[in-house]
Amino acid sequence: MNAGGAPNTRTGDPAAQPERTRFAWRRTTLTFAVAVALGVRAAVHGGDGVSAAEAAAAAVGALAWLVFLVLAHRRIRAMEADRPPVVGAGTVRAAALCTLAMATVGVVLLW
C-alpha cells in the first residue's frame, strides 16, 4: 500500500531496470574513455610540445579512467544479481572523484 491507501502496482518490466543501469555504466565508461583520449591527444599534439603539466594531466586522466572502469565493472557485475545491492557510498564518492579529476585535467589542458 502506498501513502494514499491504494495498492502498490508496478508497471513495466522489473528486469529492464538493472539492464538499463548496466547500459548506463557502460555508456559512461565509454564516454570517459573518449574524454581521456581527447585529453591525451590535446597534450601530445599541443603547440610547443608536451609540457610536464600536460603530461601529468594526461596521466592523471588515464588513471582516473582506469579507476572509474574498475568501479563500473564492479557495479555492472553486481547488477547481474536478482536483487542487486544498493550502490555503496564509497563507490559514489570514488566515481565523483574520478569525474572531478577529469574536469581538472580538462582545465589544465585548456589553460
Side-chain angles (χ1 to χ4, degrees):
M1 292 257 182
N2 63 16
N8 287 332
T9 57
R10 191 170 191 166
T11 60
D13 184 6
Q17 182 59 43
E19 183 178 24
R20 285 192 302 266
T21 303
R22 283 193 306 271
F23 287 149
W25 277 100
R26 287 183 178 132
R27 282 191 310 268
T28 304
T29 304
L30 179 61
T31 302
F32 207 128
V34 169
V36 169
L38 291 172
V40 169
R41 180 177 177 244
V44 171
H45 295 294
D48 303 344
V50 180
S51 71
E54 290 173 335
V60 167
L63 180 63
W65 175 73
L66 287 173
V67 171
F68 192 84
L69 183 65
V70 169
L71 294 171
H73 183 69
R74 285 184 188 168
R75 189 61 190 157
I76 289 168
R77 299 287 287 184
M79 295 303 294
E80 292 174 357
D82 288 339
R83 299 206 71 169
V86 175
V87 65
T91 301
V92 172
R93 282 189 203 109
L97 284 174
C98 289
T99 304
L100 288 173
M102 195 60 206
T104 304
V105 165
V107 168
V108 168
L109 291 176
L110 291 175
W111 199 277

